[in-house]
Amino acid sequence: MPRKLRLAMTVDPSSGSTKRSNFFVVSVVGLDLYTMKLHVMDVLRARVPIEQQPERAAERFLRWYDQGLRTIGIEAVFRQSEVVRQVTARLRGFAVRVVPIFREKDKETRLAGLAMRYSNGDILHPEGADGSRPAWVEVLEEELCAIGWEKGVQLHEFDDQVDAVNDACNMLTAGLMAEAFVPMHHRM
């Protein structure tokens, strides 16, 4: 386990819960402030009706709260923006910042940065001393390996975990990258 992690949780809501719907995903990623490696700590992927998603997101947040989780990013497109409002209401009284996520670039462009981070060994998945791993790691890795495009068409049906992990990585590193370019005389 890394020494000190800055944690972020992201939620990729789903507007449906049928076999053809996207999955509801919650990811928790930590940035090791010493090594600058990203650690995928937890992923929940399930088919959950949208009215139950705020409660499931709040439950996951509370699991990580004592370890320093204070930021949640939630994709906020269409009906999903209601999830942002409801999670905020459920966590009133906790030291938490709930941020809506609006993805601007196409998926292929967005995920190019994630692929580079994995290729460079900058993103790690949990593994016990005995080599054991949580069950969700295999499912995430299958999705990561299946992501691809051919002539602009996505080859894999589901990519919800990949989106959530990518959003968390971006949330954790965006502020650090901006800070790196502030001239020294402007830093406090």
Side-chain angles (χ1 to χ4, degrees):
M1 179 75 130
R3 292 176 278 194
K4 176 67 176 162
L5 293 179
R6 178 182 293 170
L7 297 174
M9 182 175 111
T10 52
V11 179
D12 189 352
S14 171
S15 57
S17 57
T18 68
K19 287 185 178 183
R20 297 170 66 154
S21 302
N22 287 337
F23 287 92
F24 165 73
V25 175
V26 177
S27 73
V28 177
V29 176
L31 174 64
D32 185 321
L33 299 174
Y34 298 102
T35 66
M36 300 309 288
K37 300 282 186 191
L38 293 153
H39 297 260
V40 181
M41 306 298 291
D42 190 14
V43 176
L44 165 68
R45 174 185 182 236
R47 298 210 190 273
V48 177
I50 195 160
E51 59 275 1
Q52 295 173 17
Q53 292 175 21
E55 184 62 32
R56 297 288 295 272
E59 288 168 2
R60 213 51 163 211
F61 170 81
L62 292 173
R63 282 189 187 181
W64 290 93
Y65 186 76
D66 288 342
Q67 285 141 41
L69 179 61
R70 298 295 183 271
T71 304
I72 304 173
I74 303 174
E75 183 184 22
V77 181
F78 307 117
R79 283 181 56 198
Q80 297 168 342
S81 60
E82 180 63 17
V83 175
V84 174
R85 190 189 67 70
Q86 289 185 23
V87 169
T88 302
R90 285 185 188 334
L91 296 175
R92 189 169 288 121
F94 287 91
V96 60
R97 182 173 64 122
V98 180
V99 180
I101 295 174
F102 301 98
R103 299 181 185 128
E104 296 177 0
K105 300 175 185 164
D106 64 272
K107 188 175 296 282
E108 191 170 2
T109 302
R110 285 195 323 263
L111 297 183
L114 186 70
M116 184 179 71
R117 286 178 171 145
Y118 270 106
S119 294
N120 291 339
D122 293 333
I123 301 177
L124 307 170
H125 296 170
E127 189 170 306
D130 62 353
S132 64
R133 299 173 349 149
W136 59 262
V137 173
E138 184 177 337
V139 178
L140 171 62
E141 289 177 351
E142 285 175 9
E143 190 174 293
L144 284 162
C145 291
I147 294 296
W149 287 265
E150 188 173 292
K151 297 181 182 175
V153 176
Q154 188 172 331
L155 299 176
H156 191 263
E157 186 175 6
F158 299 110
D159 57 11
D160 311 298
Q161 296 173 101
V162 175
D163 277 338
V165 167
N166 188 50
D167 289 339
C169 291
N170 289 338
M171 284 177 62
L172 287 164
T173 59
L176 295 175
M177 295 306 291
E179 187 178 291
F181 293 103
V182 175
M184 288 302 287
H185 64 277
H186 288 292
R187 296 185 188 177
M188 297 293 208

